[in-house]
Amino acid sequence: MIFKLEFEDRTEYAQAKNEQDLSENYEAEFGDFKEAKKVEEISEEEAKLIMLRNPEFNENDPDDMEEFSLYDAVCGDMFCIVASTEWT
């Protein structure tokens, strides 16, 4: 599943098995899950429309992409942060 987490100072996208898995793992790793103003599940269709920019894009690497969809960045259901506005 794909989730959007809105904090006062950032927005993050994460993948997790379910919302409980998200909250437990996020809290264990970062400790501020309770500070999220809003947590919502993102559908696959919506994830395909959300474009992410690669701040470390290397134009000399033919396999590197400057922009790709959130859907393309998600791989499975193990907890991880897929994108964040803090990374820009």
Side-chain angles (χ1 to χ4, degrees):
M1 300 177 103
I2 307 167
F3 295 92
K4 179 180 181 180
L5 295 87
E6 292 182 17
F7 293 87
E8 190 171 310
D9 61 341
R10 68 190 185 280
T11 299
E12 295 183 336
Y13 292 94
Q15 67 181 33
K17 293 176 187 172
N18 52 45
E19 195 164 340
Q20 181 179 350
D21 181 54
L22 171 68
S23 66
E24 289 173 0
N25 282 295
Y26 195 100
E27 190 64 33
E29 193 165 331
F30 303 107
D32 66 346
F33 183 78
K34 293 175 181 101
E35 293 178 22
K37 304 290 183 194
K38 184 176 181 182
V39 177
E40 65 180 299
E41 185 179 345
I42 302 294
S43 70
E44 287 185 12
E45 293 77 27
E46 189 176 357
K48 290 175 183 178
L49 299 174
I50 297 171
M51 298 306 291
L52 305 175
R53 196 172 132 309
N54 180 359
E56 297 176 1
F57 172 66
N58 179 353
E59 62 186 38
N60 297 321
D61 182 352
D63 294 327
D64 208 0
M65 295 173 53
E66 185 172 12
E67 197 173 71
F68 47 91
S69 75
L70 175 61
Y71 181 82
D72 291 334
V74 173
C75 55
D77 62 1
M78 282 187 56
F79 169 77
C80 76
I81 301 299
V82 180
S84 175
T85 56
E86 277 193 337
W87 297 345
T88 59

